[in-house]
Amino acid sequence: MNELIIELSEISPRDFFGEQNSHIELLKRYFPKLKIVARGNKLRIYGDEEMLEEFDKRFNMLIDHYGKFNRLDENAIERVLTSQSKEEYDTSNESGEVLVHGVSGRMIKAQTANQRRLVELMRKNDMVFAIGPAGTGKTYTGVALAVKALKEKQVKRIILTRPAVEAGENLGFLPGDLKEKLDPYMQPLYDALRDMIPHEKLESYIEKGVIQIAPLAFMRGRTLDHAFVILDEAQNTTHAQMKMFLTRMGKSAKFMVTGDPGQIDLPKRVISGLKEAILVLQDVDGVGIIHLDDKDVIRHKLVKKIIAAYKRIENAE
């Protein structure tokens, strides 16, 4: 039986191997034919020579990833182990930068390869579509980019909007003024902003109109200049709503459209404006499109399993 010995230097074994060697257990699941033993800062791996070479290659990819981002978690390990090449899980150093120093000094970065590609696309294009399932960080990364642009004075305001499909007619029966009625529906956008901007400053920005959160219908007739505009949950727009939104774009504006085509709440036989826009605009210069997938899920690890389980059912229908 062949043996491979790997010694970690300048890396904390606890950080790299995980609590109670949880990362090693994950490696064992991906390499079931190898015997992997971790002691101190050394790994001893026994098995077939070809399999040891593959393990060595993947382990070096993990070391590169850790060296770049100073962290390693189960999501990162899975992305590295299932990628065909370095390009699939990695991007330039620039796109791995801290986007925003959030509340309490929290460093907010793009955490996955596709999220970093989203950052790069937004840098190169004035309009970007980010498509993917729940938990892939589309909206959160978008809001971070918007806050970054505002702080760096690239834009004068941030506008966040959603089509109020689920709320529908029921808005009329909710108590309170319009803001109170829409607040629960817009909550994910507020949550992201609260992570990135201190409470008093955020309230001031909203009061002064520097940050605006409104349903999509309120965009009609406006020209959005010097603004970073995010249309969230765009899969629930109709043809007319999407066209109306995209044509609001004014000078020095950045537009980002996020959505999950797998979670459409429109009535049957109504075509999703998001699906149509991706087809219509895929070859338009200046428009970037990125598809995130379950490798980008950064919520609880169960979310990834739930998405995969539903995908199996939907593909079987």
Side-chain angles (χ1 to χ4, degrees):
M1 189 178 280
N2 298 294
E3 180 186 22
L4 170 68
I5 300 173
I6 298 174
E7 187 172 350
L8 293 180
S9 59
E10 300 177 9
I11 295 176
S12 157
R14 185 176 174 180
D15 287 349
F16 203 82
F17 294 162
E19 290 286 334
Q20 298 179 325
N21 281 356
S22 59
H23 296 165
I24 300 300
E25 293 306 312
L26 189 57
L27 284 170
K28 286 178 180 178
R29 289 209 296 274
Y30 275 90
F31 291 93
K33 293 181 180 177
L34 295 178
K35 183 182 178 185
I36 303 170
V37 181
R39 284 213 174 85
N41 69 336
K42 279 187 182 177
L43 269 187
R44 290 180 184 271
I45 310 99
Y46 305 91
D48 173 72
E49 188 174 351
E50 196 174 316
M51 194 67 74
L52 287 176
E53 283 179 11
E54 176 65 16
F55 182 91
D56 193 33
K57 183 180 91 172
R58 296 287 172 176
F59 200 83
N60 281 318
M61 288 160 78
L62 288 172
I63 288 173
D64 285 347
H65 182 91
Y66 182 86
K68 189 170 178 180
F69 297 103
N70 294 316
R71 66 194 296 270
L72 199 62
D73 57 26
E74 287 190 14
N75 283 319
I77 292 168
E78 287 184 2
R79 285 194 302 273
V80 170
L81 296 181
T82 56
S83 296
Q84 296 301 312
S85 65
K86 190 174 188 290
E87 287 68 34
E88 261 192 46
Y89 74 88
D90 206 359
T91 45
S92 70
N93 284 324
E94 205 175 42
S95 59
E97 69 195 12
V98 175
L99 298 177
V100 179
H101 285 89
V103 175
S104 303
R106 179 181 173 188
M107 292 190 292
I108 295 167
K109 298 180 179 183
Q111 294 185 45
T112 72
N114 279 331
Q115 286 176 14
R116 292 192 289 276
R117 287 193 186 102
L118 171 54
V119 172
E120 287 182 354
L121 272 181
M122 205 72 237
R123 190 178 282 121
K124 294 172 185 173
N125 299 277
D126 287 334
M127 183 180 290
V128 170
F129 287 79
I131 317 301
T136 50
K138 309 178 298 291
T139 304
Y140 198 83
T141 305
V143 172
L145 285 166
V147 172
K148 175 181 167 70
L150 183 67
K151 284 186 172 184
E152 294 177 357
K153 296 186 167 52
Q154 296 167 13
V155 297
K156 294 179 181 175
R157 55 190 170 148
I158 295 171
I159 299 171
L160 308 174
T161 185
R162 282 180 150 197
V165 172
E166 292 93 332
E169 299 301 320
N170 295 332
L171 279 176
F173 300 99
L174 293 171
D177 63 17
L178 182 68
K179 185 178 184 297
E180 288 172 336
K181 290 176 184 179
L182 287 168
D183 269 358
Y185 184 68
M186 300 293 181
Q187 202 63 49
L189 300 170
Y190 284 114
D191 287 346
L193 287 168
R194 285 190 187 107
D195 275 359
M196 300 173 203
I197 302 173
H199 177 74
E200 292 79 7
K201 195 164 191 177
L202 178 57
E203 290 300 309
S204 170
Y205 276 159
I206 290 172
E207 203 174 300
K208 292 174 182 172
V210 174
I211 294 178
Q212 300 170 24
I213 306 175
L216 184 57
F218 282 50
M219 299 298 112
R220 196 172 298 280
R222 300 179 67 183
T223 301
L224 306 175
D225 293 330
H226 306 288
F228 197 117
V229 188
I230 299 175
L231 169 57
D232 195 34
E233 299 287 343
Q235 73 274 6
N236 291 324
T237 58
T238 62
H239 160 87
Q241 286 174 323
M242 180 61 81
K243 185 181 175 187
M244 177 275 289
F245 172 76
L246 296 178
T247 54
R248 299 305 93 205
M249 194 174 200
K251 58 190 175 186
S252 301
K254 286 272 192 183
F255 269 40
M256 184 168 163
V257 179
T258 73
D260 176 7
Q263 289 191 341
I264 295 172
D265 298 312
L266 293 167
K268 286 183 178 176
R269 294 186 295 280
V270 175
I271 296 169
S272 165
L274 177 64
K275 284 187 169 182
E276 184 184 55
I278 295 166
L279 288 172
V280 171
L281 302 175
Q282 61 185 341
D283 297 321
V284 174
D285 191 36
V287 175
I289 299 174
I290 183 161
H291 293 268
L292 296 96
D293 56 33
D294 51 9
K295 287 182 189 171
D296 300 296
V297 172
I298 50 174
R299 292 182 183 171
H300 193 286
K301 59 186 176 184
L302 267 178
V303 175
K304 191 177 294 186
K305 294 177 182 176
I306 290 166
I307 290 169
Y310 271 95
K311 196 182 284 183
R312 285 194 293 272
I313 293 171
E314 288 156 5
N315 289 342
E317 287 175 355

